[in-house]
Amino acid sequence: MSLSRRLRLVEPAKFAAKTIILEAASLAAGFRGSTPPGPSGLILTLHHVRPRPSEAFDPNGHLSVTPEFLDVTIAELAALGYEIIPIDALLQRLSAPDGRPFAVVTLDDGYRDNVVHALPVFERHAAPFTVFACTGFIRRTHSMWWETALALVRSQAQLALDFGEGAVLLPVTRDSERQRAFDMIGRAVMQGDEARAIAVLDAAARKAGIDPLSFVDAQILDESELQALARHPLATIGAHSVSHRAMARLSPAELYEEISVSRQVLTDLLGMAPSAFAFPYGHHAQAGPRDYRALRELGFTIGVTTVQARLTDADQKRLTALPRINLDGRWQKRRYIRGLVSGLAFKRG
């Protein structure tokens, strides 16, 4: 069976399996009660908050939830008895738990829609939130490869890309072909030399008349907008590296530069050093013990990953490697919220 055929079979199967898990977890959470026994805290991960796109082909759709779903999520948390707290209050709640369930809401990258569409929801609920800003995006020095790749596969009839193993010619006239090309680009970025792969992608985009930084300009807060957001009483700004590369794959010098420069840029821009850092991508392959230690050494007190789990008592001793629960745009149904926040939809590993 061809690779493309296997991919067409595997992805729907994964989607169906995750849906079944969420349905079962949501049902079980309903039987168990509003909150599970044990530690009662969690951190939510979001990226975009914006209306649903009109395009049928949207490989980045998992990164977006609608303002309506965010509103429902916060309302459901309140109905379950959760208090939404600022991230700066997290240390106190972990070190001296009082039994009340709590949630921290975080949004990665620094998208403008976090202000346009998410902020009114947070204001309506008086809910604090944290935006983790990638300083290379804020300063317009780095592109977002997933947006560049999407524009490239949408705009061409075929792509010629060489990520170091020879040029590959890819047809991209059908959605299945576009998805295959997008996945190939993603593998080159995530499994090869990330900086080189992004440079190759950006060069291919420019050759096709696409400016990679145009998507950053259109979607990411600029410096003045981030400063304005930081002054909002509900908002906290955290760091999210400079280039949005996987920290675990960097040399020690690159790692320290990514963390320290991102912290200094935000300190200079906002007049206050950020205390929290979100690891780009953030799962085990992208962030590890060396990287957690580096955060502590460079002055951060909190680091968040994308390992999916509720907070536990043990997290008091691993404050720079905290898990989060992702709100995925592919599963925007109210009944799934209980399954997610219960922790029953996944296990920590």
Side-chain angles (χ1 to χ4, degrees):
M1 184 184 296
S2 68
L3 175 60
S4 60
R5 173 63 175 163
R6 290 200 300 272
L7 287 172
R8 288 197 297 272
L9 292 175
V10 167
E11 290 307 315
K14 287 183 177 178
F15 181 87
K18 178 66 178 291
T19 302
I20 291 171
I21 290 170
L22 279 173
E23 293 282 2
S26 301
L27 183 62
F31 282 117
R32 267 189 16 175
S34 60
T35 58
S40 54
L42 56 92
I43 306 172
L44 294 179
T45 310
L46 298 96
H47 292 81
H48 287 287
V49 178
R50 58 187 178 183
R52 290 184 186 275
S54 57
E55 297 88 352
F57 175 69
D58 186 21
N60 296 324
H62 62 291
L63 298 176
S64 296
V65 301
T66 65
E68 293 78 15
F69 185 67
L70 175 60
D71 185 78
V72 165
T73 300
I74 295 176
E76 186 69 9
L77 287 170
L80 294 172
Y82 282 82
E83 177 189 5
I84 297 181
I85 65 171
I87 200 165
D88 291 339
L90 183 57
L91 298 182
Q92 175 65 25
R93 295 297 281 267
L94 285 174
S95 61
D98 58 13
R100 293 178 297 162
F102 66 90
V104 174
V105 181
T106 66
L107 306 99
D108 287 4
D109 297 338
Y111 293 106
R112 188 171 286 116
D113 57 50
N114 294 174
V115 172
V116 175
H117 296 294
L119 181 56
V121 178
F122 292 128
E123 290 176 329
R124 187 156 56 248
H125 292 276
F129 62 96
T130 296
V131 169
F132 286 109
C134 180
T135 58
F137 298 164
I138 299 295
R139 301 177 89 185
R140 308 306 194 246
T141 59
H142 290 74
S143 61
M144 300 182 290
W145 72 260
W146 53 94
E147 294 293 343
T148 308
L150 175 58
L152 196 57
V153 301
R154 277 179 173 169
S155 66
Q156 307 295 300
Q158 63 180 12
L159 299 179
L161 296 169
D162 184 355
F163 291 112
E165 298 180 355
V168 177
L169 190 63
L170 300 168
V172 284
T173 57
R174 296 182 296 181
D175 283 352
S176 60
E177 294 170 339
R178 295 184 184 102
Q179 185 66 59
R180 186 161 65 251
F182 185 92
D183 291 342
M184 190 201 81
I185 293 168
R187 286 193 297 273
V189 171
M190 299 306 299
Q191 297 176 15
D193 183 329
E194 188 171 353
R196 182 183 184 281
I198 293 172
V200 168
L201 175 64
D202 286 352
R206 286 190 290 268
K207 186 176 180 179
I210 299 168
D211 178 6
L213 290 180
S214 66
F215 309 109
V216 182
D217 275 333
Q219 297 184 31
I220 296 289
L221 297 166
D222 63 24
E223 291 185 350
S224 62
E225 290 171 320
L226 188 68
Q227 288 173 322
L229 178 61
R231 291 192 291 269
H232 196 285
L234 293 175
T236 300
I237 308 300
H240 196 38
S241 82
V242 175
S243 67
H244 202 282
R245 285 186 289 168
M247 299 292 101
R249 299 173 62 209
L250 300 179
S251 70
E254 289 173 322
L255 170 70
Y256 276 71
E257 182 177 8
E258 286 280 342
I259 297 172
S260 62
V261 171
S262 67
R263 189 170 192 261
Q264 189 60 54
V265 167
L266 291 177
T267 301
D268 293 343
L269 187 63
L270 306 178
M272 180 181 297
S275 62
F277 183 97
F279 287 100
Y281 312 115
H283 215 268
H284 296 301
Q286 294 91 34
R290 178 201 67 163
D291 315 309
Y292 309 148
R293 289 194 300 271
L295 281 192
R296 295 193 297 270
E297 292 168 6
L298 291 170
F300 286 95
T301 56
I302 294 173
V304 296
T305 70
T306 59
V307 176
Q308 297 238 69
R310 292 175 57 84
L311 297 169
T312 71
D313 289 333
D315 287 315
Q316 298 177 43
K317 299 180 180 179
R318 50 191 181 208
L319 293 173
T320 54
L322 298 177
R324 292 188 286 176
I325 294 173
N326 185 45
L327 291 186
D328 191 310
R330 294 168 295 185
W331 289 281
Q332 296 187 64
K333 293 183 179 179
R334 184 171 194 140
R335 67 176 180 272
Y336 293 155
I337 297 169
R338 290 185 180 234
L340 285 170
V341 303
S342 72
L344 296 173
F346 35 73
K347 61 180 181 180
R348 191 164 181 169

